[in-house]
Structure formats: structure tokens, C-alpha cells
Amino acid sequence: MCGIIAYKGKRPDAASLVLKGLKKLEYRGYDSWGVAVKTDLNIVIHKKIGKIGELNIGKLKLPTSHLAMAHSRWATHGGVTDKNAHPHASCGNRVVVIHNGIIENYLQLKKALIKKGHKFVSETDTEVAAHLIEENLKKYPGKIDKAIFRHEVQRSLEQFKGRYAFLVMSEDCDSIVAARRGSPLIIGKGHDGDYFIASDIPAFLDYTNEVMYLDDDEMVVIDGGHDFIDLKTGKEIKKRIVKIEWKAQEAEKGSFLHFMIKEIMEQKETIHRAINQNEKLMKKIADAINKAFGTYFIGCGTAGKVCIAASYLFSKICKKHVNVQFGSEFPNFQHFIKKNSLLVAVSQSGETADTLEAMEVAKKKGAKLLTIVNVEGSSMDRMADLSIHIKAGPEKAVASTKATTAQLAIVTLLAYACAGRLNEGKKLLIEAASQINDMLNPRYEKHILELAEKIKNVESMYVIGRGMNYPMALESAIKLQEVSYIHAEGFAGGELKHGPIALISKGTPCIALVANDETRSDVISNAIEIKARGGFIIGVSPRREEVFDYWIRVPDAGDASPIVNIIPVQILAYQLAVLRKNNPDMPRNLAKSVTVK
Ligand code: M6R
């Protein structure tokens, strides 16, 4: 969702530091952006709708300062306007806040504050926070020390219902306060009293890789040093400093035009990295799955499709039934959860609100929690009893690619581990990784580009698959929708004849995802049925089949077929986006990490 960053320290260029950091966070939200800069006299705010991407920071002529914070927005309450952009100030500009999340009871608080004379200028829920804190500070006219500031922010937070990550500044205090309930905030500790607070690590990775995690219902006051406070008990808490292994350049585009294509190409290495797991851990997890009274794979969006793929892989490889639900729907099935059930949360960010809620629900029922996650130290990583890190490195394009295939590799490996054939699974995936390395070459990209040129103006397209390629048909549709904005839908091949085939007319592109397994002949029959109604058949398949109007060759990868089959569709989606002049890294209406329900 929204991107947040703040800097407090000895450097005088706080404004430019946070704006540079914000550019790195823009994948989290890009409706509008804004910055607040604290000077000796006041707080200067600059905010604007649109993307921060190409902003010439120098041109803004922001004052020199040691304390600043910035925000990129993904609108929830109130349209995309300059006024609704963050930061938000109280009437007298005494208090300025930025926020990620939703204050559920903001209307009630707003009414009460209006009665007390507060004047609101935006339609956001966030603005109530600035006015409420100002109201609570009224009894301390003039400069305030950090203890008062902390106390009154804490008192104000107690009145909010909902999820949030807040940063608060006051023109009468040199400290900055951050608080969290449900939305991520990470503290970066630089050298020489430098501090960063951000919703994701790449925002400050150029300056430090030493971080402290703020947990739910915690607050931190930064003022040359740091004080962490448990909001429930009011007591100070000690935090461990964690060293992050990511390199700053991993979060850069390098010579690529977009992050999406860079991340697609990185799949030459990421599968290898993903499967390089501690054998003992894999066996321990396989044992937990084998012994659990019901295993539930939970994820949202693309991660949800990986969960569906897991159910096919487990059924085929280790003859085991696992349940699958989207995070947002899982609470409806909590009645089946027992103490010895196991919930497996799959996620790139580890911060998706719906998946986190599912974990909370399962935890309350006493179930064991496992996560398959990319971002180490994320909320899911810290909440789970056991974690498998997929090691894909920072994924910045909104459309997930390398994290998806790394997750697929892990669930495949786990299915093999549950069957007691871990080494066989590893061998299969190593072979797939080297096949992907051969596949991802400029000639391959060009072949897919020729197809993209042919179909770039279509209104709708369809994707079919069977068995473990059915979830990949669903995932293909998400990829095409997200970045090309072409209406796309994925179906189980056998389902088309029960209704959706009515949508096929002359020239409708239909991608058939084919594996060289027991589903091959049936999915080819389904493609023939579509062709008979005028459909243009694009085959993603190890073999050329007569029915294909366009063939994209993929290696014959056995049970790793979902991994190799999704990659050409990722490339096609990317190329369609570029040809249709869309920004594939920041698709309209979307945000990378969905931290609201
Ligand atoms: O960070 P997560 O994997 O938990 O995110 C879940 C979904 O929001 C995510 O997969 C989304 O569907 C992607 N934009 C798909 O490309």
C-alpha cells in the first residue's frame, strides 16, 4: 500500500534523503506523494498528485533540515487529489502526520473534533490523527519535550480503531514518533546517530543494512537515539539489531527498462537460490505436514494461485490432500481448525493483511503456523512458528514474477520432501533451473514480442490449463490483467464447454498451457474445441501440436512444468504492457503490498 519514509539525524539534507528513498518505495503506492520538512521555525509541506518517479528533487527548493518524512499514497479514503495526499497537518500546522492503513472510527472522531472548532481540509481518515494529537497537545503551549510528545501521541493512538503505520512530527519538538498496528514499519540505524523509518527496507538500503522491526502495538521515538515502547503496557522495550543481506543494487533496475523484465530475467538464478534450503528444516516441515490434522495453504492473488498449485503437486507427488483458501476467505473455514492443524501462509511481502488475518485466526485456534515468504523479518516471518525464505531478493514490480516461481519451487520441493524423496525433487528443480537459463535468451523474447505485436489490440483473451497447469492458467490471467489491462480469464480446460466457450469468437486469443503428462491430450482436445469456434490458439508447450496457431516452446520439466510454463506468459504480459504504453512496474489502481483488508 502506501510508502513511508523518514530521516532524523546529523545530515542537513533530510528532505532530499527521504524523497530519494520514496522513489525506491513508489511500487507500494503511486497516486500522489508528499513530504514534510521540519525547520527551526515550522514544518514545510509539499504534496502533489501523480508519480514521484521523474521528480527533480533539487527544483523543489526544500529547506535544509535534519528531520523529514515522506509518503506515496494508494488511496483508500478520499479521491486522488493534492489535498488528500499526505502529509496531513492539524489546523495550526502544529502536528503533521503520515499514515498507512485505515482509521475505522475516523468519522466519529472527526465529528467530535469539528465540534471543538477543528477545520478539516481533506476527505481522508488520516487527517483526524493530526487534529486529535493537536487537540491533546493544547494544554502545552510552546515547545514540548519528547516525553510529552510521546505521551500525547500514545494517548491519541488509543482512540483509533483499525490498522495503521503512523509517523508524527510536531513543529514544537525535534523528535519523530512512529507507531504500528498491522502495517509495516522498519527502523534503519545508520552511523553516527542517523535513523531511518520506512515501510520497506530498500528505501534506506543505500545508507544502512542494520534494522530493528517495529511490531504491532509498538511505538518508537527517535531523537538522536531510539526508545521503543509497548503501547499495551506503556513500558520501554529493547530491540535486537538485525543485519540485512540484500544488496542495494539488487533493488535497482540496472540496465533494464523496467523492474518487471529485470525480475523475469532473474529467474535464471532465483530458482536455484530458492531450492538451496537447509535439508533438516525441509524434513522437519515435511514431517509437520505429514503429521498435521489438516494442512491449509493460504495466500492472496498470485500467492493464492501458488497455493492451488501446491494442492495439485501434493496430490500427485506425495498423495496428500491439502486445503487451499484465499486469505480473505479463510476465516469462514476456521471452524475446521484444530490444535494440530497446520496453516501454510504463502507470500512475497509477508505483509498482506488478508493473509495475516488468516494466520491470526489460525493462531487463536492453536494451529501451527508455517510461512513461505520472500521478505525476511516481515510480519508473517515473525509470526510463524517456522519459515521458509524463498530468497528471491527484492521484488519491486507490482506484478509478481520471480517470487512466484521461487514459491512454486518451494512447494514442489516440499511435496517431494513429504513423499520422502527430497533429493529427487531437488534434482528435478536443478534441471528446471538450468532449462530456464537456456530458455531466457533474446531470441526467445523476440519470438514472444512478435506474438504480442499480433494480439496487442484484442479486447479479451483466455488461458486454459489442466492439472497443475490449471492454477497457472489463473495466474496467467492475473499477469495479463495487471499490466496489459486486456480482459483475461483463466479456466480449467475441461470447464470451457460448460459455459465460457460462448465467449470465443473469430480470432479470440486463447493460450493453452500444456505439460507432457497425463493431462496433455485432454488440454489439446480443449484447444481444438476452441479453435473450432474461431479461437486463435497460442500453445505454451514442450511440443508443437497441430492445433497451435502460435507455438511458444518450453522445456519438458516434469513436475516443474508450472514453473516453466508461467515464464513465457510473464514475458508476454510485460511486452503487451509496453506495446500498449502502460507502465508495467506500476499498474493503475494497484499497489505491491496490500496491507488493508
Ligand atoms: O505479498 P503477497 O505475495 O502476499 O501479495 C499477494 C498479492 O497481493 C499479490 O500476489 C498480487 O496478486 C500481485 N500483484 C500479483 O502479481
Side-chain angles (χ1 to χ4, degrees), residues 461-477:
M461 45 194 303
Y462 300 95
V463 191
I464 58 167
R466 277 180 173 250
M468 59 177 89
N469 273 291
Y470 159 54
M472 291 305 101
L474 301 177
E475 169 54 13
S476 299

Side-chain angles (χ1 to χ4, degrees), residues 300-303 346-352 355 380 398-400 407 475 478-479 482 590-594:
C300 298
T302 289
V346 180
S347 175
Q348 188 287 128
S349 63
E351 300 294 349
T352 301
T355 311
M380 287 181 208
V398 165
S400 179
Q407 289 162 350
E475 169 54 13
I478 289 202
K479 234 39 355 141
E482 269 184 307
L590 297 176
K592 179 71 180 158
S593 163
V594 186

